[in-house]
Amino acid sequence: MIRALFFDLDGTLLTSRKTLADSTRTALQQCQKQGIGLFLATARAPLLDKMLGWTEAEFRLFDGGIYCNGACEKLHGQTHYIFLPAPLVTRCVQTVNPIPALHLALQLQEERHAFNHPLAAAAYGQWGIAPQSVVPLEASAFCQTVKILIYFENLIDSVTPLPISLVESCRQICQDQANIYLTDQGKVLQISNSRTSKYQSIDHLRHQLGLQPDEIAVFGDDWNDLEMLTGFPHGTLWAMPTLSCAARFAVRHAAMMKTGLPGPCMSCWD
């Protein structure tokens, strides 16, 4: 019996307009009525009120979740972070610096951020942050880094794929100290501590909730979801045919990508 659901956001639970469809809200509310716990499993920072305009109505749908690819966990009102090693962060910054057009962002403890380029005024809202929450890109920030993001242009609408040579350089830096994910069709590099991932953090929350692996279902759509999709018995892949061989179930119906979570998903498991 499924007792908890974990959802990726972008490309999975959210519509193409980054909203929760009415059908999704209805399905989630029906899950709640059946006593099923609902949790987020996202690469985003826990700033959904500012990034997506969520209100108490949206937050009431969920019992907690993992953010920053699992480097930030929220459950029972408590927040837990896992940081990257400061020397690794330093080397990543040094690798990016020689490429003027390349952007690097550090997501830090308590949802502060550091950037290698100043944000445009309009970008603060997209990141869900205020100017006062941005700190200098210096050593004091490196030891509090939860996740690194590397991209061209603006993170939200980047159109330029990252060079493979850069990705390989970062892999060499990270080795066994960090997980590295090339997402968004090769346009964004995400780096977080190797001791955490969506799978590891969901498993950690699962233990705290007293659930067995076959009592949860996970939903995702990108490479940073692969481990959780294959690590649990009930993993549902939202489209992305290049990953379909890795997940236990594949969901390919185009309408689902437009509207978010369909009502029928509630009856996928019994």
Side-chain angles (χ1 to χ4, degrees):
M1 178 179 178
I2 298 298
R3 296 174 57 192
L5 306 178
F6 287 80
F7 296 98
D8 173 52
L9 280 174
D10 298 273
T12 304
L13 200 62
L14 299 179
T15 69
S16 58
R17 295 184 178 183
K18 306 301 182 184
T19 62
L20 289 174
D22 290 341
S23 58
T24 298
R25 294 172 186 268
T26 299
L28 293 174
Q29 291 165 351
Q30 290 176 359
C31 287
Q32 284 183 320
K33 291 178 181 178
Q34 294 182 25
I36 298 173
L38 303 175
F39 300 86
L40 298 172
T42 178
R44 287 180 179 265
L47 294 164
L48 304 184
D49 53 338
K50 300 178 179 66
M51 299 177 79
L52 300 175
W54 279 24
T55 65
E56 187 61 29
E58 285 79 25
F59 286 113
R60 275 200 304 266
L61 294 171
F62 300 95
D63 301 289
I66 63 168
Y67 300 81
C68 301
N69 285 329
C72 174
E73 299 177 2
K74 285 184 172 286
L75 184 66
H76 304 319
Q78 301 295 314
T79 302
H80 175 66
Y81 297 95
I82 299 179
F83 303 112
L84 283 160
L88 183 150
V89 179
T90 301
R91 291 186 63 193
C92 287
V93 172
Q94 293 170 343
T95 299
V96 167
N97 281 341
I99 309 175
L102 200 57
H103 289 251
L104 176 141
L106 304 183
Q107 294 182 328
L108 310 175
Q109 184 178 17
E110 297 177 350
E111 286 60 74
R112 292 171 300 125
H113 289 67
F115 300 92
N116 68 333
H117 294 300
L119 285 184
Y124 285 100
Q126 295 173 333
W127 282 88
I129 59 177
Q132 56 266 33
S133 67
V134 176
V135 302
L137 189 69
E138 57 188 29
S140 60
F142 298 167
C143 61
Q144 299 180 54
T145 299
V146 177
K147 191 175 77 169
I148 301 171
L149 291 162
I150 302 172
Y151 53 95
F152 285 109
E153 294 101 27
N154 185 289
L155 177 67
I156 305 301
D157 52 17
S158 179
V159 297
T160 306
L162 294 171
I164 297 301
S165 58
L166 169 74
V167 176
E168 290 308 313
S169 294
C170 290
R171 289 192 194 280
Q172 289 299 315
I173 292 170
C174 294
Q175 295 188 22
D176 61 350
Q177 296 185 85
N179 295 321
I180 180 169
Y181 304 107
L182 184 61
T183 63
D184 299 80
Q185 294 79 52
K187 296 188 288 288
V188 178
L189 198 63
Q190 305 186 38
I191 302 172
S192 54
N193 195 299
S194 61
R195 293 189 291 111
T196 187
S197 65
K198 288 190 178 185
Y199 169 77
Q200 289 170 293
S201 293
I202 290 174
D203 203 48
H204 183 229
L205 293 191
R206 174 185 71 76
H207 280 285
Q208 294 184 67
L209 294 166
L211 300 176
Q212 297 300 313
D214 62 356
E215 292 181 309
I216 69 172
V218 298
F219 300 79
D221 75 302
D222 212 334
W223 291 105
N224 58 329
D225 301 317
L226 180 58
E227 188 178 1
M228 73 172 185
L229 290 171
T230 58
F232 293 103
H234 303 300
T236 298
L237 177 66
W238 238 246
M240 193 122 179
T242 57
L243 282 178
S244 61
C245 62
R248 192 65 59 91
F249 305 103
V251 178
R252 297 187 178 88
H253 198 282
M256 294 180 182
M257 289 299 292
K258 294 179 182 177
T259 62
L261 174 68
C265 101
M266 289 189 26
S267 59
C268 287
W269 303 277
D270 52 61

